[in-house]
Amino acid sequence: MAELTSRRGGRIAVLKPQVFAWVQDYGVYAAVLTLLLFNVLFTPHFLDAANFRTQLVQVTPVVIVSLGMALVIGTQGIDLSVGSVMALAAALTVLYLGYGWLPAVVVAVIGGAVAGLAGGALVAYVGVQPIVATLALLVGVRGLANVLVPQLVEFRNPGLIALGSSSVAGIPVIVLIAAALTVIVLFVVRRTTFGRQVVAIGGNRSASELSGLPVKRVLLTVYVLSGLLAALAGVLATARLQASDPTSLGLFIELSAITAVVVGGTPLTGGRIRVLSTVMGALLMQLLAATLIKHNLPQSWTQMVQAVIILAAVYATRKRGTR
């Protein structure tokens, strides 16, 4: 009996790491499929095309911001300024809209990249902790955006409105842009030297420095990309809303982005970036919120369920990291 118990315990000990690995690799996909099946069976009009379009459009800013956040977290960093960068991009867009919608978008994206440059310089060259550097930017950049545009400003520029509301073959343009950015970031992470350097620095920064990798330059670039993507998300959100609202645009989106990245299986300890799973993590959070709302459950339930999912994801990635 003792031998059987020992064998059983040995099998369980062997299976536990495999279970955690499976959860980290495919758990978010299984959760999305489960929620989809639940909604197909129990949520009226879930399969309507308009509903799918709404869900995809609403999750687009989170997906774009999460792509940059995944790169930052891959280096063991964090970027809390992304929501404020979105607000700054919204303010710059309406300020320069008189020169045409395309120049306004370019200025807004450059503004986001500059904000990311400031955060990256503080982290890479000054040695400030990422959470402190980007927290300072969160406050400062939001304040700057509110100074530039103190109140909500509506606009009627046809080009910018088309960017936020037009479709190609029934698919919203902003969704296509998010999909294209996902492919680009996936290619960068998996196929480029820069992507391998990001993962290597996140895995072991000291060893990367000793091996001659341009650690500071890579860190700076990662934060610039995060700011650039956040600014683009801000422009698209502004175009969709047909109004610039720096006071509320992007509020708490940094939490949604971090959640998507962690739930997608990218560990907060860095050294690993899961791009497609990050997108699925964002979809999971959007689908979960929509499901609870459609079944008349209060917003507080969404927050509590999200908290449980985050803790489970962090636990799963921690277990894998200790193997």
Side-chain angles (χ1 to χ4, degrees):
M1 180 65 71
E3 184 180 354
L4 288 175
T5 304
S6 177
R7 288 179 179 175
R8 187 178 302 168
R11 284 197 297 271
I12 293 175
V14 170
L15 286 175
K16 282 180 66 177
Q18 296 176 350
V19 171
F20 280 116
W22 188 91
V23 169
Q24 189 180 44
D25 289 338
Y26 306 109
V28 66
Y29 297 92
V32 169
L33 289 176
T34 302
L35 267 179
L36 285 173
L37 180 61
F38 174 85
N39 281 287
V40 169
L41 294 176
F42 301 109
T43 303
H45 309 296
F46 178 75
L47 293 177
D48 290 354
N51 179 55
F52 271 106
R53 178 187 174 92
T54 300
Q55 300 304 323
L56 289 175
V57 168
Q58 288 182 348
V59 80
T60 295
V62 178
V63 168
I64 296 174
V65 172
S66 298
L67 293 173
M69 188 69 75
L71 294 174
V72 174
I73 290 179
T75 64
Q76 294 190 29
I78 200 83
D79 189 352
L80 300 180
S81 68
V82 287
S84 297
V85 172
M86 286 182 64
L88 177 63
L92 291 173
T93 299
V94 294
L95 281 179
Y96 288 88
L97 201 52
Y99 297 95
W101 71 271
L102 188 56
V105 169
V106 172
V107 170
V109 172
I110 291 175
V114 171
L117 182 69
L122 289 172
V123 173
Y125 292 96
V126 183
V128 180
Q129 289 293 322
I131 191 171
V132 177
T134 56
L135 181 62
L137 284 175
L138 179 151
V139 178
V141 173
R142 176 74 66 178
L144 175 61
N146 285 325
V147 168
L148 294 174
V149 180
Q151 57 189 3
L152 186 145
V153 177
E154 297 182 354
F155 55 83
R156 293 290 181 267
N157 184 282
L160 191 58
I161 292 175
L163 181 65
S165 59
S166 60
S167 301
V168 175
I171 303 175
V173 169
I174 60 175
V175 174
L176 293 174
I177 292 174
L181 290 172
T182 300
V183 173
I184 293 171
V185 173
L186 182 65
F187 176 81
V188 168
V189 170
R190 292 189 176 181
R191 301 294 183 186
T192 68
T193 301
F194 172 75
R196 288 190 287 273
Q197 290 174 340
V198 170
V199 174
I201 292 170
N204 192 325
R205 182 168 176 174
S206 298
S208 299
E209 290 174 339
L210 291 173
S211 62
L213 294 183
V215 174
K216 293 181 179 179
R217 190 174 68 201
V218 171
L219 288 176
L220 185 69
T221 306
V222 162
Y223 283 90
V224 170
L225 290 175
S226 179
L228 190 151
L229 288 169
L232 187 54
V235 169
L236 295 177
T238 300
R240 183 171 66 86
L241 297 173
Q242 301 181 21
S244 172
D245 185 11
T247 301
S248 62
L249 184 67
L251 275 178
F252 305 121
I253 197 170
E254 61 275 2
L255 300 180
S256 299
I258 294 170
T259 301
V261 173
V262 173
V263 170
T266 299
L268 290 172
T269 50
R272 179 182 171 92
I273 301 174
R274 296 177 59 80
V275 178
L276 293 180
S277 294
T278 294
V279 175
M280 294 301 291
L283 292 174
L284 174 63
M285 293 299 109
Q286 174 66 29
L287 193 57
L288 176 64
T291 301
L292 295 178
I293 290 173
K294 287 182 180 297
H295 288 272
N296 299 318
L297 291 174
Q299 178 67 20
S300 55
W301 279 74
T302 304
Q303 296 168 338
M304 288 189 290
V305 173
Q306 285 180 341
V308 171
I309 293 175
I310 293 169
L311 290 174
V314 170
Y315 182 71
T317 55
R318 184 189 67 85
K319 292 295 293 184
R320 190 169 193 176
T322 57
R323 286 191 304 157

